[in-house]
Amino acid sequence: LDDTNSVDYEGELAVIIGKGGRGISRTAAMDHVFGYTIVNDVTSRLLQQKHRQWAIGKGIDGFCPMGPAVVTADETGDPAALRLRTFVNGELRQDAPVKDLIFDIPTLIETISRYITLEPGDVIATGTPAGVGIGFTPPKFLQKGDVVRIEIDRIGMLENTVA
């Protein structure tokens, strides 16, 4: 339960690790990817700011829905060519190609695996493009009953209603 009225959405591509490892190089990173899915990295912005870390603001029960399916890397093709779109109540809020994310997938895998052993089944959220609610003036936070729909080419659509 978040009573701060600062719940925000973040449409993201999620990478699912197939082959574990530690100290994975950029050049070998994609060999460790099993597939992809969609994540709504729901965030309580006020809790995130108050605690100056992400666990509480992003870890509330019911946050971080994923799906609708896992699509294997060979079925997806080049993830940089995928396009992500997020709608809130039918209004397009995020629309960007995955290639425009700040960190590409090989960089994420290399950086994370430098410090954390990646295991098969681990999920890495890749980051979100511009258009999240906190970026508007005034912010457009989610309200009870709002419907968030995230679409990523070749993966599908994740739709959730705010409880």
Side-chain angles (χ1 to χ4, degrees):
L1 172 66
D2 175 40
D3 56 2
T4 68
N5 295 313
S6 67
V7 175
D8 206 351
Y9 54 88
E10 293 184 24
E12 300 191 26
L13 174 69
V15 176
I16 300 163
I17 297 299
K19 180 176 131 186
R22 182 161 178 167
I24 301 166
S25 70
R26 278 185 54 79
T27 56
M30 298 308 283
D31 295 335
H32 291 260
V33 175
F34 173 77
Y36 304 93
T37 193
I38 302 170
V39 156
N40 183 355
D41 190 10
V42 179
T43 305
S44 169
R45 296 298 182 194
L46 290 178
L47 289 176
Q48 182 183 35
Q49 292 168 0
K50 178 181 177 182
H51 294 277
R52 299 199 183 272
Q53 49 77 30
W54 295 352
I56 292 174
K58 292 180 178 279
I60 295 173
D61 292 346
F63 280 23
C64 202
M66 284 190 271
V70 174
V71 179
T72 61
D74 61 324
E75 294 175 302
T76 307
D78 179 8
L82 302 176
R83 185 164 209 89
L84 181 146
R85 289 170 300 283
T86 302
F87 301 83
V88 177
N89 300 323
E91 175 190 353
L92 181 62
R93 299 269 185 96
Q94 295 181 289
D95 185 5
V98 170
K99 69 179 171 125
D100 286 355
L101 294 175
I102 295 171
F103 300 108
D104 64 12
I105 292 167
T107 299
L108 291 170
I109 291 173
E110 179 183 56
T111 302
I112 292 167
S113 74
R114 184 176 304 137
Y115 304 101
I116 299 168
T117 300
L118 293 173
E119 299 287 348
D122 282 349
V123 177
I124 299 171
T126 59
T128 196
V132 295
I134 198 167
F136 290 90
T137 305
K140 294 182 177 183
F141 294 129
L142 298 172
Q143 304 298 316
K144 183 177 182 175
D146 284 350
V147 176
V148 179
R149 185 176 80 240
I150 303 164
E151 302 172 353
I152 299 180
D153 300 335
R154 297 193 296 259
I155 296 175
M157 177 206 39
L158 172 66
E159 185 173 282
N160 301 99
T161 302
V162 179

